[in-house]
Amino acid sequence: VGFGAGEHLHWQAQHHPHVGMIGAEPFVNGVAKLLSKIDDEPVSNIRLHMDDASDIISALPDASLGRVFILFPDPWPKTRHHKRRFIQTQMLDHLARVMKPDAELRFGSDDAPLVEYTLERVIAHPSFDWMATSAQDWQTRPADWPQTRYEAKQLHGIPVFLRFRRR
């Protein structure tokens, strides 16, 4: 969801060549950067949607996704902009529909208020369980979660890595 320059998506495609990847990104510059990366290091298991991810999610069949990545989204910090945040109760309903049982929702951010906001909504949702059993689980990026350029910038603070399982 919103793959930025696509470094994470490309890495996942390289390391999971038999898994189909769908990337949604509305910004042309991000799509161009990913296409350039694919040209330099070809992968054949990525499909791109140059628009909002909600379009794809509404069109997908039930229980069709094994993982969903929402990594370092715009925090929309002003209260009046919170309605623009991707994680909303209605979007969690849609994600729950398209995610397979035991599928994983991964969320990364370095914006503490956005992390708190996201935790409140996902934990309250009946379809998801937070997978953390200790602080180490959200303070350490999993080995199969490559660093993105947004994470490297650490514009807002220390990165947090949240993982949720679809009930």
Side-chain angles (χ1 to χ4, degrees):
V1 173
F3 59 75
E7 64 268 52
H8 181 271
L9 178 57
H10 190 265
W11 186 96
Q12 291 293 338
Q14 285 181 313
H15 289 82
H16 304 284
H18 300 294
V19 175
M21 308 280 170
I22 303 170
E25 175 60 58
F27 298 107
V28 174
N29 289 349
V31 174
K33 286 178 182 176
L34 177 57
L35 290 173
S36 178
K37 182 82 169 164
I38 292 171
D39 193 43
D40 292 341
E41 299 175 46
V43 291
S44 61
N45 56 333
I46 296 177
R47 300 297 177 264
L48 301 179
H49 178 68
M50 291 178 50
D51 209 341
D52 191 87
S54 59
D55 300 336
I56 292 174
I57 292 167
S58 64
L60 286 171
D62 293 355
S64 58
L65 299 178
R67 278 193 182 165
V68 174
F69 299 91
I70 305 167
L71 307 179
F72 298 86
D74 187 327
W76 294 105
K78 295 179 181 174
T79 302
R80 70 177 188 264
H81 292 154
H82 284 190
K83 64 182 177 274
R84 296 182 184 180
R85 290 178 171 175
F86 189 79
I87 297 293
Q88 304 283 342
T89 302
Q90 185 177 17
M91 179 53 67
L92 290 170
D93 292 341
H94 295 306
L95 288 173
R97 181 188 65 78
V98 299
M99 292 174 71
K100 297 175 184 178
D102 294 323
E104 192 174 326
L105 171 61
R106 290 187 172 189
F107 178 89
S109 181
D110 61 350
D111 184 81
L114 179 58
V115 169
E116 182 178 325
Y117 172 96
T118 300
L119 274 172
E120 286 173 357
R121 276 141 190 86
V122 183
I123 288 173
H125 198 279
S127 297
F128 296 96
D129 289 319
W130 189 17
M131 296 169 61
T133 58
S134 71
Q136 182 78 14
D137 292 335
W138 53 268
Q139 293 174 340
T140 306
R141 183 179 356 94
D144 65 342
W145 185 329
Q147 187 178 51
T148 69
R149 65 189 173 104
Y150 290 108
E151 177 189 343
K153 290 179 183 180
Q154 292 186 11
L155 298 174
H156 303 284
I158 298 170
V160 172
F161 310 93
L162 305 177
R163 297 170 63 203
F164 304 94
R165 180 143 341 267
R166 170 71 169 93
R167 287 186 186 143

